[in-house]
Amino acid sequence: MAHPSQLGFQDATSPVMEELLHFHDHTLMIVFLISTLVLYIIIAMVTTKLTNKFILDSQEIEIIWTLLPAMILILIALPSLRILYLMDEISNSHLTIKTIGHQWYWSYEYTDYENITFDSYMTPTQDLMPGQFRLLETDHRMVVPMESPTRILVSADDVLHSWAVPSLGIKMDAVPGRLNQTAFIVSRPGVYYGQCSEICGANHSFMPIVVEAVPLKYFEDWSSLMLQDA
Amino acid sequence: MLAIVRKQLRSHPALIPLFFFIGGGATMSMLYLARLALRNPDVCWDRKNNSEPWNKMSPTDQYKFFTVNMDYSKLKKDRPDF
């Protein structure tokens, strides 16, 4: 989940998010280097007493400041395109979960084997237990087996919503009448939070998403429990 | 026109990298666009003979330009026919 005054991304929980993190680090470093260089040049220009009223042009420096930015841009573009194609790859998912956005809660359906369906409402602030996170906790979590490719089909019941879990690197719009597909693999067990990412009315900020990744055996226990409760 | 450009390039060699990158970028974009137009199964040129190319793809077809981890030749068909 996000921390107060957090500046960077949340820790990556899926291989795709790791790649995105590394790419962001790479590109941000380039951006910092360029900005530092420009700042230094500006300060040097502004604080010097040297003048030259007769400079007309200079071929050498023009070559350098054409070649260097082009090289830098290529250095940024190649990893970027690689990640783009990586994110689009089709995986052989072991589990398909449907998530439907409503005003103002998410509902999850696990219908591969049996029919497990449940709604996930935000826990109101006055009902939080000590240690729980305000505006992020829900009554039912989407439980997912870890290290297993999972497919999510996202849609909506009424207005536009968006299913987003930052630490998995996923954001997929929930459009009424449309099925959007995304897939992920959770690398480690844990609880991962996200929030609805498309304005959908009064309680748009109050319909969070909680993904709980557990070993397969616990996932099976959980599904049996959910079937009994239903 | 080319002769004029060549004469100007001799006195301003800094323009050579410019031509190279802009020309290269434009060429690559046009080539990719052409690839999309001709190879993309979502595009239909011949409504009579090849009306729905997206329905004629096999599991081993790779229509994307580049794959990182996927080996399309190993995929098998496990879905029913349309």
Side-chain angles (χ1 to χ4, degrees):
Chain A
M1 56 156 274
H3 299 270
S5 58
Q6 173 178 327
L7 286 180
F9 289 122
Q10 300 181 23
D11 288 339
T13 311
S14 75
V16 164
M17 188 60 197
E18 274 180 50
E19 298 279 348
L20 286 169
L21 265 180
H22 293 319
F23 173 69
H24 178 260
D25 288 345
H26 164 80
T27 310
L28 193 62
M29 178 54 82
I30 293 178
V31 164
F32 280 154
L33 287 173
I34 296 175
S35 310
T36 314
L37 177 69
V38 170
L39 185 63
Y40 168 74
I41 292 177
I42 290 176
I43 294 179
M45 292 284 125
V46 154
T47 56
T48 182
K49 286 202 174 63
L50 304 166
T51 56
N52 183 338
K53 295 181 288 187
F54 303 106
I55 294 187
L56 288 174
D57 72 344
S58 161
Q59 297 304 311
E60 296 80 7
I61 198 173
E62 295 254 355
I63 293 181
I64 293 177
W65 71 36
T66 306
L67 268 177
L68 212 54
M71 296 285 124
I72 291 176
L73 283 177
I74 292 178
L75 263 186
I76 298 178
L78 291 178
S80 171
L81 288 173
R82 175 183 167 270
I83 291 190
L84 210 58
Y85 280 96
L86 186 74
M87 285 173 23
D88 256 356
E89 281 182 351
I90 310 167
S91 60
N92 221 348
S93 303
H94 297 331
L95 179 67
T96 302
I97 305 174
K98 300 195 268 285
T99 164
I100 317 277
H102 309 259
Q103 276 178 316
W104 287 281
Y105 62 98
W106 293 93
S107 66
Y108 300 103
E109 301 174 15
Y110 296 62
T111 51
D112 280 344
Y113 303 103
E114 309 280 343
N115 267 345
I116 303 177
T117 316
F118 56 91
D119 298 335
S120 174
Y121 281 85
M122 182 186 86
T123 312
T125 309
Q126 59 258 37
D127 297 344
L128 286 173
M129 303 298 291
Q132 285 191 314
F133 303 119
R134 190 179 71 96
L135 304 185
L136 284 177
E137 300 282 356
T138 58
D139 53 2
H140 294 117
R141 296 174 172 172
M142 185 180 102
V143 181
V144 161
M146 57 178 256
E147 292 175 344
S148 168
T150 308
R151 174 189 291 123
I152 305 275
L153 296 173
V154 186
S155 184
D157 201 20
D158 34 40
V159 297
L160 293 179
H161 300 270
S162 185
W163 197 83
V165 182
S167 55
L168 293 172
I170 293 187
K171 183 174 289 167
M172 190 51 77
D173 278 357
V175 181
R178 182 184 170 87
L179 263 189
N180 278 330
Q181 171 182 294
T182 180
F184 59 85
I185 300 183
V186 188
S187 327
R188 52 197 169 91
V191 182
Y192 308 107
Y193 296 90
Q195 293 176 290
C196 176
S197 300
E198 184 69 43
I199 186 92
C200 51
N203 287 347
H204 155 68
S205 319
F206 308 113
M207 45 183 292
I209 296 141
V210 186
V211 175
E212 183 175 335
V214 291
L216 184 59
K217 179 183 171 310
Y218 295 100
F219 173 72
E220 292 168 351
D221 294 343
W222 171 84
S223 354
S224 322
L225 221 73
M226 293 301 286
L227 278 171
Q228 285 169 6
D229 283 345
Chain B
M1 220 252 316
L2 222 56
I4 298 179
V5 171
R6 211 165 298 159
K7 195 163 60 143
Q8 289 174 336
L9 274 187
R10 240 175 296 241
S11 53
H12 289 94
L15 291 173
I16 296 177
L18 199 71
F19 274 116
F20 177 66
F21 285 115
I22 304 273
T27 311
M28 288 198 291
S29 326
M30 290 299 120
L31 282 178
Y32 184 65
L33 211 63
R35 180 199 149 92
L36 275 183
L38 298 170
R39 292 262 173 278
N40 191 358
D42 289 337
V43 169
C44 168
W45 289 104
D46 189 359
R47 235 195 296 186
K48 222 169 282 180
N49 299 334
N50 192 15
S51 55
E52 292 178 350
W54 54 88
N55 275 333
K56 301 199 184 81
M57 297 193 57
S58 76
T60 52
D61 277 345
Q62 178 189 329
Y63 65 90
K64 290 206 163 232
F65 180 55
F66 172 60
T67 57
V68 185
N69 275 338
M70 221 141 160
D71 189 0
Y72 278 86
S73 58
K74 294 219 174 60
L75 293 181
K76 282 191 283 291
K77 182 181 164 97
D78 57 356
R79 310 261 187 273
D81 272 326
F82 175 59

